[in-house]
Amino acid sequence: MAVFLLALSAACFLGLGFVLQQHAAQRAPRADLLHWRLLLDLLRMPEWLLGTGFMVIGLILSALALNQGEVSLVEPLLATNLIFAMALARVLTRQTLGRSGWAGVVLLALGVTVFIVAGRPTGGGPPASELRHWLVIGTVVGLTLLLVSFARRLPLFEEATLLALAAGLLYGLQDALTRTTTQRLDHQGLDAVLRSWQPYAVVAAGVVGLLLVQSAFEAAPLRMSLPALTAAQPISGIVCAVGFLGDRLRVTPGALAWEVIGLIAVVIGVVVIGRHPALPGTTGISGGTGGTGAGDSGGAGGTDSGPPPGPTGRPPRTSTEEDTPGTGTGGPTDTG
């Protein structure tokens, strides 16, 4: 029971933190996309700092959950962060949940339940060989690099989805390595932890994942990134847990079928929730002021600056919602 409470509490804080972070990141300069200076710019935004505080609390709670339960049990529960994200976004955007929203919530909850009941995740399996250990990690890191490389060739909206997928893969790996670290801390002490490579890999995966997900938040609306992040993380974490942590799932034909059905339901539920109007669209959460985030001039000079320039060598971000005449305070045709 403690594992369930810790994991769901972690999901709550993570979901709330993601919404606040994206609301702030959409106002960062487009030229900062996938550059470390993006994080420096975001550090100056109180809203982003508040969201990061929620995210840190969520990470601590998830680490406690991972210390007490198997990764393959905790990861599906963490996927419910999207429900809490939509709850906050619904308050800010004043959108009702509606049939599609409830359908997504039910699918996500049922998928998590079916996977846990059918798989009955347990730990205590034999440790994986060193070769298998590095093969799994290398595969996750390699897929992350491929996604980022391919994302750079796509328009910003599509790029955001692939960057979020890459961040989700890293976060799943980070969760698996976090469990390894906490187990070593319990059995061998702090000195053994500091002499191992896993805690430093946890920090590295967290920092790179943070840059990727904030770039995704900056590039496009939350609905283009958070569902991909939420779907990729549990799958990556479960693969890593079974691959090198010794987690076990039931492998009878019937159990495997229900596990697959559960994961598919989780992914579909995540996508349905992610497309719900409660999650911010291209105009972000502006409290009805008609602003468009980074592209809104906030009324200075009575003109609309239009979409900001994209990174060097790439076309600027375009959106019919942002480019519609009259979205700024003065309108593109206002010549004074």
Side-chain angles (χ1 to χ4, degrees), residues 95-271:
Q95 290 276 356
T96 58
L97 198 58
R99 292 182 180 178
S100 63
W102 281 115
V105 169
V106 170
L107 274 172
L108 181 55
L110 283 178
V112 170
T113 303
V114 168
F115 178 84
I116 292 174
V117 171
R120 296 179 188 175
T122 58
S129 65
E130 198 74 13
L131 176 61
R132 183 175 175 180
H133 200 109
W134 286 108
L135 278 176
V136 174
I137 293 176
T139 300
V140 173
V141 173
L143 286 174
T144 301
L145 293 174
L146 283 175
L147 285 172
V148 173
S149 176
F150 187 60
R152 296 296 291 157
R153 303 169 185 172
L154 298 176
L156 282 176
F157 272 35
E158 288 80 1
E159 180 178 7
T161 301
L162 292 191
L163 291 179
L165 282 173
L169 293 180
L170 280 184
Y171 282 155
L173 175 61
Q174 182 190 36
D175 289 340
L177 295 177
T178 297
R179 176 162 171 78
T180 301
T181 301
T182 56
Q183 286 181 326
R184 180 171 282 115
L185 180 63
D186 287 343
H187 295 96
Q188 301 178 28
L190 181 60
D191 183 61
V193 170
L194 295 177
R195 287 187 285 105
S196 63
W197 60 268
Q198 282 89 348
Y200 307 104
V202 168
V203 173
V207 172
V208 176
L210 181 65
L211 175 62
L212 292 176
V213 79
Q214 298 308 315
S215 295
F217 286 167
E218 179 194 13
L222 197 65
R223 66 182 64 174
M224 298 298 298
S225 54
L226 190 54
L229 172 69
T230 305
Q233 182 173 349
I235 294 174
S236 173
I238 292 169
V239 168
C240 290
V242 175
F244 62 81
L245 287 184
D247 279 20
R248 294 176 173 176
L249 298 171
R250 294 174 63 198
V251 292
T252 62
L256 283 175
W258 282 110
E259 288 164 25
V260 171
I261 291 173
L263 286 178
I264 291 175
V266 167
V267 173
I268 294 176
V270 163
V271 173

Side-chain angles (χ1 to χ4, degrees), residues 323-336:
D323 295 340
T324 301
T327 56
T329 56
T333 60
D334 182 9
T335 60

